[in-house]
Amino acid sequence: MMNLKQLLDGIKVKADYISLRSVHTHSAGVYVRNEVLEGVNTFHDHGLMVEVMVGGQLAYAATNSFDPSDVQKAAERAVLSAEHAHRFGLYHFSPNERPKVVGEYSSPAKYGINHFRPADVTELLMNLSSTMNVHEHIISRSAGYGITEMDTHLVATNGTDIRQKIIRSQVSLSATATSEKGTQTRTYGGDKASQTGIEELNLNMLEAEAQRVATEALELLNTEECPSETLDLLLAPDQMYLQIHESIGHPLELDRILGDERNYAGWSFVKPSDFGKLKYGSELMNVTFDPTVVGQHASYFADDIGAVATREYLIRNGILERGLGSLESQKRLGMPGVSSQRATSWNRAPIDRMANVNLEPGTSSMNDMISSIERGILMKTTRSWSIDDYRNKFQFGCEYGQLIENGKLTKLVKNPNYRGITAPFWNQLKMVGDRSTFEVGGLGNCGKGEPNQVIFVGHASPACLFSNIEVFGGGK
Amino acid sequence: MQALQASALEIFAKKIFNELKSDESLTISLSGEETLFTRLSQAKIRQVTNLHQAFVEFTFIKGNRTTNFSLPFKGASEDADVAIKKIRETREWIEKIPEDPFLVRPAYYGVTKEETLESLPLTEEMLTTVLDTSSHVDLAGVFSSGDIVRATINTEGQFHWFKTRNFYLDYSLYNDKQKAVKGLYAGNNWDADGLRTNLKDSEYKLSLMNRESKKIERGSYRVFLAPSAVSELLGTLSWGGVSMGEHKRGNGSLRDLWEGKRKMSEKFSLAEDFSLGMTPRFNDRGEVSPAHLPLIEKGVLKNFLTSTRTANEYKIETNNASDWESMRSPVITTGKLSRNDIFKELGTGLYLSDLHYLNWSDRETARVTGMTRYACFWVENGEIVSPIQDLRFDESYYNLFGEGLVELTDFADLIPSTGSYSQRDVGGSKVPGVLVSDFKFTL
């Protein structure tokens, strides 16, 4: 088979710029429920996206064939589209938005998919499922594992040549307890995807988590509903990931601010004039965009149009500094951004996405935060999420709540939810956990774009304390 | 595109089936498309993507063990060689994994071929009409057109083929106050005049959004949910709400309905109805769902969607639902409220055209939360007063389609699915509007 550079050299069309982005994805996963193997699934995909620029108009054609004649046809389709679109183009770019970059990246994973042994993984997950079978009230317990290797190669007529191998994996556990008092579920791992391999399957650690998950599901059955009150709210990192994602990451995507997403995912309350001025949150709030963190879920060398990744502050001491926008959005808005134009695979054009968006740790220990609270609640683990199309009014639900009274953790409560409005919420951030509370997470299913596409992202955060937040429980 | 030809799949499958041993069976399902996506903003082209894609998913059974794998499909002869190589590799480990006690073996589910391939103008021509017609408004959205294929074939001789050629313009129009209305023009037959009428209607609705927006305080209000809002509610209900498996595993949201502890309104009936013709009746196994399956009939639960695997596990009857056990072609029965009487019957309250970002607030009590979006109005004494600032709601399906349901419209809108995660969706829903006596807004 021809290599990508040869395929590119063989294309005969008239264009100012052409790139080929090949994406080869190989995934494998096992899922066990109630000690029954539900599935061993593997996924192979390989395809190519041709990008052309004709008179400043970009257009794309994607194909799963690497035959030179099919690649030529794809390029011809892309050029035809670019020529037709030119008259109606929203913005015409220049080759400046496609820098020449040569480099490579490889995840720090030690054992990739070649080391995936279905029988071994199944046995481990069966053990975990069995570990969660602690009581007859645990009617459903599941354990899953997935690993994905994605090899991307980007070459372009300007000499760009970037190869990136990203290996990601994730274990997930879930236990559902049911009685006449209702149903409660506790999970682990759904937000802990990372750029690691099979080496991360640590049975001892996972067995402890399985035990905890099942025990907590049972405990929650016998608790009261979360009260409906305005309380101090202490969010654990595994809820902070979602809070960051929905109320910082998405509103700061520059293509949203430009209005590109209006018909689907929505707009943003952030305006271009807010950068450098808007007090997004309290001065304790520091948020970075950082695809250079070793092993974090969305780390890479460069995005899918060749912009090299660097660590940048999005919010510093509470003030909005920079948006999540690629070279294209930066040009359209005339403001700086980050390396963030990413596509789910070969079959979608890249758009502005999050990568790793992290809240930097502060100086308060968990004990500092808890002991400072007269009446409050600790919430852990995302269960439900909803936010408006400007990223303002949100409502989030968690799996686990525990009241904090007079500086101490007291009784558990079930179905804890909270609601708020983004900027006021972040301005009520009154304490930020230190490194001892800091955890690193990753999610695989951030959805956006027309046509729709998912992307994997990373979030890291300490525990954080917010004052006077409206909380409430479930029930009629 | 060769991969979207039935003959290509048949040749491919035959070569692979010949490779199989006596204790092996295989189901192959194909998903493919040839689509042009054009992303629009400010009535201009933001991004245009031509897509040729197809992939095949295999359910391979050896003895009492099974595995699924997925490969790209080009419709070329070497595709079968790749699949055969994968099967040979699979044989090396499959006997080391546990047997599957709920295995669903392939069976003969018949042979069907359904193609809706009306001739469409060139996409560039349709797009030019869209953009020329909307050049004076701020239009954002996506125009998609092309062919979609879904098919399954198995070692028992079953073969189902569904191919459709369609287009949709999924869009919204914006005024200079950032208020918007939502529109959709979709179908198998292009009608430029139909498009122009559709856009004109949307422009009229947009003119109503020019008035100053009213802030609505939290509380319960009488509301009218337009069909597109009801369709969003059905989408969330489909997320575990009508699944037998989720119910059995404790995650279902209609347990009280199942146990007869609660009912919905006698006016409310929901069914899976494949006469809409927007999606194939066969699932990924090739099992053919009933043409009409009542889920809730006059407020009483009749059926949860039950896949054969769930049926095997819990020793109950299957209704050939997909493995996800989510609705593929839902229809809500119409009522008596005529279009002309909507505002009169609403009286004073809120008209909600669309809802956004719905999610379960509390599954156990079937509570859902979400936001209002697009052309939502405050109405007084049957007259539109003003658009509203967006609102968050948190309400139970038992109220929406139960105690709080006043009436459904006597008409229903056909709403095709325009989702395109990994591939363009097929399917859609047919739903009326719903008048609700009290609908809770929380923020």
Side-chain angles (χ1 to χ4, degrees):
Chain A
M1 193 169 89
M2 275 193 184
N3 70 36
L4 208 62
K5 190 75 178 58
Q6 286 172 323
L7 278 174
L8 178 67
D9 291 342
I11 292 175
K12 303 281 176 266
V13 294
K14 271 185 144 179
D16 305 316
Y17 167 92
I18 306 171
S19 76
L20 299 183
R21 179 168 53 87
S22 156
V23 182
H24 183 193
T25 304
H26 184 188
S27 302
V30 181
Y31 185 68
V32 164
R33 183 172 56 79
N34 293 3
E35 297 84 76
V36 169
L37 177 58
E38 290 269 285
V40 176
N41 305 314
T42 55
F43 173 85
H44 267 279
D45 192 22
H46 195 190
L48 184 67
M49 177 64 87
V50 182
E51 180 188 69
V52 302
M53 187 186 292
V54 178
Q57 180 65 47
L58 287 164
Y60 297 86
T63 174
N64 64 0
S65 172
F66 286 77
D67 186 275
S69 66
D70 290 329
V71 176
Q72 171 68 24
K73 284 178 196 157
E76 287 167 5
R77 285 195 294 274
V79 166
L80 258 175
S81 290
E83 287 169 348
H84 175 260
H86 191 274
R87 175 187 145 201
F88 301 107
L90 179 63
Y91 197 92
H92 293 140
F93 296 99
S94 80
N96 291 335
E97 281 77 64
R98 293 294 184 269
K100 175 186 170 179
V101 171
V102 176
E104 59 184 46
Y105 172 86
S106 194
S107 293
K110 202 168 164 193
Y111 299 118
I113 207 164
N114 286 343
H115 294 266
F116 175 81
R117 301 282 177 267
D120 295 344
V121 174
T122 301
E123 187 183 341
L124 182 142
L125 296 179
M126 287 289 202
N127 286 336
L128 294 173
S129 177
S130 182
T131 298
M132 288 187 278
N133 191 12
V134 298
H135 192 279
E136 62 180 356
H137 283 163
I138 300 286
I139 64 162
S140 179
R141 51 219 172 260
S142 64
Y145 177 74
I147 180 167
T148 297
E149 278 193 21
M150 182 187 269
D151 286 282
T152 308
H153 190 191
L154 176 69
V155 297
T157 46
N158 65 357
T160 286
D161 193 334
I162 301 172
R163 288 179 195 264
Q164 307 197 80
K165 183 185 210 42
I166 295 184
I167 299 175
R168 303 179 289 121
S169 68
Q170 182 172 18
V171 173
S172 55
L173 304 172
S174 175
T176 299
T178 298
S179 73
E180 70 282 357
K181 295 180 183 171
T183 300
Q184 289 294 314
T185 298
R186 278 295 271 143
T187 65
Y188 164 82
D191 50 20
K192 289 233 173 298
S194 61
Q195 286 194 21
T196 51
I198 310 273
E199 69 275 6
E200 286 301 298
L201 282 174
N202 176 333
L203 181 61
N204 288 340
M205 182 274 285
L206 289 169
E207 278 195 339
E209 292 293 349
Q211 186 75 34
R212 177 186 64 76
V213 152
T215 304
E216 287 180 356
L218 286 168
E219 285 173 350
L220 286 168
L221 269 187
N222 297 312
T223 58
E224 292 170 7
E225 292 282 352
C226 175
S228 292
E229 268 185 70
T230 299
L231 294 173
D232 279 0
L233 173 61
L234 179 58
L235 292 179
D238 66 355
Q239 173 57 19
M240 283 303 298
Y241 305 148
L242 191 275
Q243 186 70 51
I244 291 165
H245 185 90
E246 298 289 355
S247 68
I248 299 175
H250 276 308
L252 297 190
E253 289 160 346
L254 292 185
D255 65 347
R256 288 184 72 114
I257 293 170
L258 281 161
D260 292 357
E261 271 295 306
R262 287 176 291 167
N263 187 58
Y264 180 63
W267 220 333
S268 173
F269 68 91
V270 174
K271 298 179 290 299
S273 56
D274 288 334
F275 289 95
K277 290 187 214 140
L278 176 66
K279 189 168 180 292
Y280 207 102
S282 83
E283 61 187 29
L284 299 173
M285 183 183 187
N286 290 283
V287 179
T288 52
F289 169 90
D290 194 358
T292 69
V293 177
V294 175
Q296 196 172 358
H297 198 216
S299 290
Y300 48 79
F301 164 70
D303 69 10
D304 288 330
I305 61 169
V308 176
T310 53
R311 178 176 189 262
E312 304 293 346
Y313 270 84
L314 302 176
I315 297 168
R316 197 190 304 255
N317 302 326
I319 303 298
L320 178 62
E321 205 167 278
R322 186 185 287 250
L324 291 168
S326 62
L327 294 173
E328 288 181 25
S329 297
Q330 294 169 40
K331 182 78 168 80
R332 288 166 67 189
L333 281 168
M335 61 174 53
V338 294
S339 152
S340 64
Q341 194 155 340
R342 306 170 63 205
T344 185
S345 186
W346 58 271
N347 61 357
R348 294 287 184 267
I351 56 176
D352 287 346
R353 302 309 297 260
M354 290 176 240
N356 298 324
V357 176
N358 303 330
L359 189 78
E360 298 296 314
T363 56
S364 302
S365 69
M366 199 64 163
N367 196 51
D368 289 340
M369 290 187 280
I370 292 170
S371 60
S372 76
I373 297 168
E374 196 177 310
R375 184 155 171 83
I377 183 168
L378 165 69
M379 290 192 192
K380 292 183 186 177
T381 318
T382 302
R383 189 174 78 170
S384 169
W385 56 99
S386 172
I387 191 166
D388 74 27
D389 57 320
Y390 282 82
R391 298 279 145 181
N392 264 322
K393 292 183 182 179
F394 61 81
Q395 177 170 313
F396 299 141
C398 294
E399 291 178 4
Y400 183 100
Q402 189 167 11
L403 294 182
I404 302 170
E405 297 168 291
N406 299 315
K408 292 192 176 356
L409 286 164
T410 59
K411 61 180 180 181
L412 295 188
V413 290
K414 63 183 180 184
N415 304 325
N417 292 271
Y418 64 102
R419 57 173 79 98
I421 298 176
T422 293
F425 177 82
W426 283 108
N427 275 282
Q428 285 157 251
L429 174 65
K430 69 175 184 181
M431 291 176 89
V432 174
D434 60 18
R435 281 245 163 242
S436 70
T437 75
F438 190 74
E439 292 181 20
V440 181
L443 309 167
N445 58 350
C446 171
K448 187 186 162 181
E450 290 182 301
N452 310 140
Q453 47 179 311
V454 292
I455 203 80
F456 56 95
V457 300
H459 298 300
S461 178
C464 288
L465 178 62
F466 299 85
S467 61
N468 299 326
I469 305 299
E470 196 179 330
V471 309
F472 57 98
K476 296 176 193 176
Chain B
M1 191 179 156
Q2 186 61 22
L4 302 192
Q5 305 305 317
S7 55
L9 179 62
E10 286 178 294
I11 293 167
F12 169 75
K14 188 173 175 187
K15 192 170 174 186
I16 299 168
F17 292 163
N18 284 341
E19 157 75 15
L20 298 178
K21 300 190 191 309
S22 59
D23 66 340
E24 294 172 347
S25 62
L26 193 60
T27 301
I28 302 172
S29 63
L30 164 70
S31 298
E33 66 184 279
E34 191 176 321
T35 301
L36 183 65
F37 293 107
T38 308
R39 194 167 186 201
L40 307 168
S41 187
Q42 299 168 43
K44 291 187 174 2
I45 294 177
R46 167 66 188 104
Q47 268 179 343
V48 56
T49 306
N50 296 263
L51 176 63
H52 284 199
Q53 131 177 316
F55 54 91
V56 277
E57 295 186 54
F58 300 78
T59 301
F60 174 69
I61 295 175
K62 185 171 183 64
N64 293 324
R65 295 171 171 84
T66 184
T67 181
N68 295 312
F69 58 91
S70 174
L71 296 169
F73 183 62
K74 298 185 282 292
S77 58
E78 66 262 24
D79 290 340
D81 299 332
V82 171
I84 288 168
K85 180 168 181 273
K86 181 72 179 172
I87 287 172
R88 289 175 183 164
E89 287 168 0
T90 301
R91 286 184 184 130
E92 290 170 19
W93 57 261
I94 193 169
E95 285 177 309
K96 297 177 190 164
I97 64 172
E99 294 188 340
D100 182 354
F102 312 131
L103 194 62
V104 180
R105 296 190 187 281
Y108 178 75
Y109 302 115
V111 174
T112 64
K113 189 172 185 183
E114 191 184 335
E115 292 192 337
T116 311
L117 298 176
E118 303 296 329
S119 169
L120 287 176
L122 287 177
T123 303
E124 286 79 6
E125 194 184 308
M126 293 188 280
L127 201 44
T128 300
T129 304
V130 169
L131 292 170
D132 283 343
T133 308
S134 60
S135 60
H136 60 289
V137 290
D138 183 1
L139 179 148
V142 62
F143 184 79
S144 308
S145 71
D147 294 357
I148 299 175
V149 163
R150 299 284 189 273
T152 88
I153 187 166
N154 71 20
T155 39
E156 307 312 300
Q158 164 240 293
F159 182 47
H160 294 298
W161 179 264
F162 174 93
K163 186 172 182 179
T164 185
R165 179 170 300 149
N166 62 21
F167 68 90
Y168 62 76
L169 175 67
D170 180 348
Y171 71 94
S172 38
L173 300 184
Y174 292 79
N175 68 13
D176 55 12
K177 295 186 171 89
Q178 295 187 343
K179 303 299 284 185
V181 299
K182 182 80 169 162
L184 176 67
Y185 183 63
N188 302 100
N189 295 293
W190 176 254
D191 172 9
D193 287 336
L195 166 77
R196 292 185 189 103
T197 304
N198 185 291
L199 283 169
K200 217 174 169 61
D201 285 347
S202 295
E203 282 186 68
Y204 167 69
K205 285 183 204 157
L206 188 65
S207 70
L208 299 173
M209 304 295 285
N210 288 334
R211 306 176 193 180
E212 203 58 39
S213 290
K214 181 180 170 66
K215 182 171 166 27
I216 304 291
E217 297 303 320
R218 302 183 195 201
S220 288
Y221 294 85
R222 192 172 176 87
V223 307
F224 177 79
L225 296 156
S228 51
V230 177
S231 179
E232 284 285 337
L233 287 163
L234 267 196
T236 305
L237 188 62
S238 204
W239 186 11
V242 292
S243 156
M244 177 63 84
E246 290 292 342
H247 169 73
K248 289 286 191 187
R249 291 187 285 274
N251 293 320
S253 49
L254 298 179
R255 183 155 85 165
D256 286 354
L257 198 64
W258 172 267
E259 293 175 357
K261 289 180 186 168
R262 297 187 80 166
K263 277 177 61 174
M264 294 197 177
S265 167
E266 279 187 6
K267 296 177 181 177
F268 183 75
S269 295
L270 168 68
E272 274 272 74
D273 187 337
F274 289 90
S275 67
L276 298 186
M278 291 196 287
T279 190
R281 273 174 67 186
F282 58 87
N283 61 25
D284 281 350
R285 296 184 206 286
E287 297 165 323
V288 179
S289 301
H292 180 97
L293 178 74
L295 301 176
I296 298 172
E297 202 162 72
K298 296 185 179 170
V300 174
L301 185 76
K302 289 293 183 193
N303 291 288
F304 279 139
L305 292 172
T306 309
S307 70
T308 303
R309 185 179 176 80
T310 294
N312 288 351
E313 179 172 356
Y314 298 103
K315 298 182 178 25
I316 54 180
E317 286 290 314
T318 178
N319 48 42
N320 292 342
S322 69
D323 279 348
W324 289 109
E325 295 178 345
S326 55
M327 292 183 276
R328 291 180 285 147
S329 191
V331 172
I332 296 177
T333 306
T334 52
K336 298 183 177 158
L337 178 59
S338 78
R339 203 184 290 273
N340 292 338
D341 288 340
I342 287 171
F343 285 94
K344 176 164 94 57
E345 292 302 315
L346 174 57
T348 296
L350 288 148
Y351 176 99
L352 304 180
S353 67
D354 296 88
L355 301 174
H356 173 69
Y357 217 143
L358 277 60
N359 204 329
W360 292 108
S361 168
D362 180 17
R363 275 186 196 250
E364 276 194 276
T365 52
R367 261 176 49 197
V368 60
T369 185
M371 293 294 302
T372 61
R373 195 176 179 189
Y374 295 120
C376 299
F377 300 102
W378 174 248
V379 175
E380 281 179 13
N381 302 316
E383 298 289 333
I384 291 178
V385 173
S386 64
I388 60 167
Q389 293 178 17
D390 58 5
L391 279 169
R392 173 164 294 285
F393 67 89
D394 193 328
E395 190 50 85
S396 170
Y397 282 97
Y398 289 113
N399 186 49
L400 285 170
F401 298 144
E403 299 138 4
L405 192 155
V406 176
E407 190 53 84
L408 304 112
T409 57
D410 62 3
F411 64 89
D413 283 359
L414 194 61
I415 302 177
S417 172
T418 57
S420 53
Y421 282 104
S422 82
Q423 59 182 347
R424 267 203 293 153
D425 285 352
V426 289
S429 59
K430 189 170 182 185
V431 293
V434 177
L435 184 61
V436 179
S437 61
D438 64 322
F439 189 84
K440 197 186 307 168
F441 294 102
T442 52
L443 187 64

